[in-house]
Amino acid sequence: MAKLLVPAIAAGSALALVATVGVATALQTNDVALTVDGATTNIAVREKTVGGVLDLEGIELSEHDVVLPGIETRISDDMEITVLVARPLDLTVDGSTREVWTTAKTVEEALGYLDLDAADSKLSASRSAAIGRDGLSIDIITAKDVTLIAGGEETAIRLAGTVGDVLDEADITPDSDDIVTPDAGELLVQGMEITYVDVEVKSKDVDKEIAFKTSSVNSSRMDKGKSEVTTKGVVGLKRETYTETFHDGELQTSELASETVVKEPVTQVTTVGTRVAPKPAPKATSNSGSSSSSSSSSSSSSSSSSASTPPSSGKALDLSRAAMWDRIARCESTNRWNINTGNGYYGGLQFNLATWRSVNGQDFAAYPHQATREEQITVANRLYAKRGTQPWSCA
């Protein structure tokens, strides 16, 4: 480290010699005011030089101490002798360290001699702090002209310290998400540009529809070529949660963080008919005369009438809930009470033979489709008394 000597008194006046020279005799004494480091003692001496007076008082000088006037100066009456004791000062200025020697007694006085007493500098010690004979270590950070860019606006700032000090000066307190360049702990340098970006992270929910699927099922209870939506499709709903990042209020990124199904969609089901109606029986052909033809026609008519409307069995009829049974028949057979497609189900209410017989349907006819509407309703009421409408999907 460089070593400098900083006297406390300007060189011109400090080194002025007292030019009073008198003729002394061996017995002559002179009154002298001796000031050492600010403490003054008045003494009478016979010594001829300043150095002799210092030796008399047991004052040893270091190489950095200052004596005014010089030690070779001859003593005169009423002379003032000043001894300025030098002190070591370890200075670190903007990170650069050096050692100087000074006869100043305070930090402010020493920095004045060194031209380092700028009011906007930051010091590690008070300016009024005393410098003892053992010396002192002082850190000095000088002010720099820097530019702060925040929210897209530039601000010129002169300050001593770190990037964090500039943010404090601008009343900016960064949180853990914010971006500061350079780092907040970095010392300022002249002309530095400091950038602060206000980062905000938000959560955003977006609701979206889930389309329903479709499917179909075959039904032998519905005529082929017909179809019906038996379960209506319902649109579902899902909630997507996004993490959005903003820089100075402007959206930078949006990332899907999670998604939750709020409502499941319902599949739409269409029932498709597969039932094929039996072909009508071919008409009988007769080669006999007109009389035979007429007789055959009459017989055929009688037979047809018998098949469509069987004779009454004489059993009591129960036509309660007739409107409900008509509605069920409309769904099961489109109100065709004498239908027999060969699929094992008969009549308007599509009884199978085992069920028909379980409630004595044979009281009216061997097969359900051979009974009248009223008789089929009567048998249906017998079954209803046991099982309700459970056997009918159209109920």
Side-chain angles (χ1 to χ4, degrees):
M1 296 181 289
K3 295 183 178 180
L4 300 178
L5 177 62
V6 184
I9 302 177
S13 60
L15 298 179
L17 299 178
V18 177
T20 303
V21 179
V23 178
T25 67
L27 299 177
Q28 182 180 357
T29 62
N30 294 299
D31 293 327
V32 175
L34 177 61
T35 301
V36 180
D37 218 18
T40 301
T41 303
N42 294 309
I43 57 177
V45 298
R46 291 191 178 94
E47 281 64 31
K48 296 179 180 181
T49 63
V50 170
V53 174
L54 297 182
D55 290 340
L56 175 67
E57 294 297 312
I59 298 173
E60 296 182 3
L61 300 177
S62 73
E63 62 176 314
H64 302 296
D65 293 341
V66 175
V67 179
L68 300 173
I71 59 176
E72 300 297 332
T73 305
R74 295 186 66 82
I75 297 298
S76 62
D77 196 33
D78 295 329
M79 177 179 282
E80 292 183 356
I81 302 173
T82 301
V83 178
L84 303 176
V85 178
R87 295 161 169 80
L89 196 61
D90 290 328
L91 289 178
T92 301
V93 181
D94 293 334
S96 179
T97 301
R98 58 176 171 157
E99 182 186 65
V100 298
W101 288 82
T102 180
T103 58
K105 295 180 181 180
T106 65
V107 170
E108 185 173 27
E109 184 181 4
L111 295 184
Y113 294 143
L114 294 168
D115 197 23
L116 292 173
D117 58 345
D120 54 7
S121 293
K122 182 180 288 187
L123 309 181
S124 63
S126 169
R127 293 177 184 271
S128 61
I131 304 175
R133 292 196 178 188
D134 293 334
L136 188 67
S137 294
I138 304 175
D139 290 336
I140 302 174
I141 301 175
T142 60
K144 308 295 188 302
D145 294 309
V146 299
T147 301
L148 173 64
I149 303 173
E153 297 184 359
E154 296 187 2
T155 303
I157 295 177
R158 180 174 176 80
L159 194 68
T162 64
V163 171
D165 293 326
V166 172
L167 297 178
D168 290 341
E169 180 73 12
D171 199 22
I172 294 174
T173 304
D175 59 28
S176 58
D177 294 325
D178 295 339
I179 300 172
V180 177
T181 308
D183 186 78
E186 189 165 329
L187 282 173
L188 301 177
V189 296
Q190 185 67 22
M192 176 183 282
E193 282 193 355
I194 300 167
T195 303
Y196 166 74
V197 179
D198 180 19
V199 179
E200 189 173 3
V201 180
K202 298 180 179 179
S203 182
K204 178 182 179 181
D205 290 335
V206 178
D207 289 343
K208 292 186 178 180
E209 290 185 346
I210 305 175
F212 60 79
K213 298 179 180 179
T214 60
S215 66
S216 62
V217 295
N218 295 331
S219 174
S220 60
R221 296 188 178 188
M222 184 180 294
D223 289 344
K224 186 175 182 178
K226 292 186 176 182
S227 63
E228 180 182 355
V229 175
T230 50
T231 301
K232 188 176 181 180
V234 178
V235 172
L237 183 68
K238 67 178 179 179
R239 180 161 297 145
E240 296 179 343
T241 301
Y242 290 85
T243 299
E244 296 184 333
T245 303
F246 295 82
H247 285 187
D248 292 331
E250 294 186 3
L251 180 64
Q252 301 297 309
T253 61
S254 181
E255 298 180 355
L256 179 63
S258 64
E259 62 179 19
T260 304
V261 176
V262 178
K263 183 176 70 174
E264 293 283 357
V266 177
T267 300
Q268 180 164 293
V269 180
T270 301
T271 300
V272 179
T274 61
R275 182 172 57 197
V276 178
K279 295 181 180 180
K283 292 183 179 181
T285 304
S286 174
N287 292 327
S288 60
S290 62
S291 175
S292 297
S293 175
S294 174
S295 173
S296 174
S297 175
S298 174
S299 173
S300 175
S301 175
S302 174
S303 174
S304 174
S305 175
S306 174
S308 60
T309 309
S312 173
S313 64
K315 296 288 184 178
L317 299 178
D318 179 4
L319 299 181
S320 58
R321 292 175 287 276
M324 180 186 76
W325 297 120
D326 283 339
R327 176 175 57 78
I328 293 174
R330 184 164 57 251
C331 173
E332 294 281 354
S333 65
T334 62
N335 280 328
R336 290 181 288 176
W337 294 91
N338 62 347
I339 189 171
N340 176 13
T341 63
N343 65 352
Y345 295 89
Y346 308 91
L349 298 175
Q350 289 290 283
F351 280 99
N352 63 36
L353 194 56
T355 304
W356 177 261
R357 290 176 179 176
S358 71
V359 287
N360 298 320
Q362 62 267 34
D363 287 345
F364 301 104
Y367 287 87
H369 69 288
Q370 295 172 343
T372 65
R373 165 183 171 275
E374 291 77 9
E375 290 169 342
Q376 290 182 47
I377 289 175
T378 298
V379 175
N381 280 323
R382 293 178 183 176
L383 185 59
Y384 179 86
K386 294 181 176 182
R387 298 170 59 188
T389 61
Q390 185 269 336
W392 289 275
S393 60
C394 289

